[in-house]
Amino acid sequence: MANAAQAQGKGPGALVQSVDRAVTVLELLARNGEAGITEIAGELGVHKSTASRLVSVLEARGLVEQFGERGKYAIGFGIVRLAGAATERMDLSRMGRPFCESLAAELGETVNIAIRDYDVALNISQTRGTASVTTHNWVGQRTPLHATSSGKVLLAHAPRDDQDALLSGDLEQYTTRTITDPAELRSSFGLIVRDAYATSYEELELGLHAAAVAVHDQNGDVVAALSASGPAYRFTRKRVREAVGSMTSAARELSAQLGYWES
């Protein structure tokens, strides 16, 4: 079956090749400003009909646009949408760094900023505290929503439809303390929203404690979570509760920079 699919151009290899060709087209248009089907086909080393089908798919997604009925193609406004999403993440990372550094210095623990990338928490910024001995870099790492303090904050503030979809599958158990019961997780969402923070006590890694608070954008939506984490022997439950106050103040200031003001 797999060989038959590949023979018809539908196997994994063909799909990867199609993606590579699509990226090549976008790079060509970004470099030259515009290009016709003949030029695109020459760049890809394929027949013009193949290039035309590929460009049609990109055009349907708004990633390229055509000038005139039979004119050349250029980058479409769909790219602006994608670039905007990346820019927002970079801006949040840049704006959040001073707060991470200040908190890390105050708490002595590692401080992170994470955003929700649908079914995971994506860490976009990190500062290690003065007491931190770990060299683990969480930036760019995707961590589970249900087993991390950042993930719980992001999940608790997610739309109900997203919550239903994300909790409908099997939730991985990382340690004996990981909560994998959807009903139990749901019952905690109200408390997380009410108390404005979430915790993770050895739920992702044994010996690791963490707490996170929400960061809001100008519309009041939760766009990120600011967290602090450290070894359980030092970042005890008592210290976690004490740290939440400073974390909340930092998140409030960062939210204000993003245009959010609490009523």
Side-chain angles (χ1 to χ4, degrees), residues 4 40-41 59 66 74-75 79 102 104 139 164 190 196 229 233 249 258:
I40 292 172
E59 185 179 20
Q66 187 179 29
I75 292 291
I79 290 292
S102 177
V139 176
D164 291 341
S229 61
Y233 71 84
S249 296
L258 293 174

Side-chain angles (χ1 to χ4, degrees), residues 23-165:
V23 172
T24 300
V25 171
L26 295 175
E27 290 177 339
L28 170 66
L29 298 181
R31 183 173 66 248
N32 296 351
E34 60 181 33
I37 289 296
T38 299
E39 185 178 355
I40 292 172
E43 178 79 8
L44 297 176
V46 299
H47 193 274
K48 287 197 293 185
S49 61
T50 300
S52 181
R53 287 195 299 270
L54 179 59
V55 171
S56 294
V57 174
L58 294 173
E59 185 179 20
R61 292 301 185 104
L63 300 178
V64 304
E65 60 182 33
Q66 187 179 29
F67 298 122
E69 186 174 341
R70 298 179 63 83
K72 293 186 175 183
Y73 290 88
I75 292 291
F77 282 103
I79 290 292
V80 176
R81 182 184 69 251
L82 298 178
T87 300
E88 287 178 6
R89 292 182 178 183
M90 289 188 289
D91 285 346
L92 182 55
S93 176
R94 175 181 55 80
M95 295 173 66
R97 173 156 290 279
F99 297 97
C100 288
E101 293 174 347
S102 177
L103 267 179
E106 177 184 348
L107 302 177
E109 307 295 353
T110 298
V111 177
N112 288 78
I113 293 177
I115 59 174
R116 186 166 77 93
D117 193 5
Y118 187 62
D119 61 346
V120 294
L122 175 64
N123 294 280
I124 62 172
S125 185
Q126 172 178 296
T127 300
R128 297 189 185 94
T130 54
S132 177
V133 294
T134 180
T135 59
H136 189 94
N137 183 5
W138 292 97
V139 176
Q141 298 294 307
R142 288 168 164 78
T143 54
L145 295 174
H146 69 286
T148 60
S149 58
S150 293
K152 290 181 185 179
V153 165
L154 298 169
L155 189 53
H157 288 88
R160 181 56 188 261
D161 288 347
D162 283 3
Q163 292 177 357
D164 291 341

Side-chain angles (χ1 to χ4, degrees), residues 107 109-112 123 138 147-153 197-205 207-213 226-232 235-237 239-241 243-244 247:
L107 302 177
E109 307 295 353
T110 298
V111 177
N112 288 78
N123 294 280
W138 292 97
T148 60
S149 58
S150 293
K152 290 181 185 179
V153 165
Y197 74 95
T199 59
S200 173
Y201 296 123
E202 299 187 277
E203 296 175 42
L204 179 64
E205 294 181 8
L208 180 68
H209 285 181
V213 295
L226 177 67
S227 69
S229 61
F235 203 41
T236 62
R237 293 181 182 234
R239 282 205 64 226
V240 165
R241 290 191 295 270
V244 166
M247 295 170 61

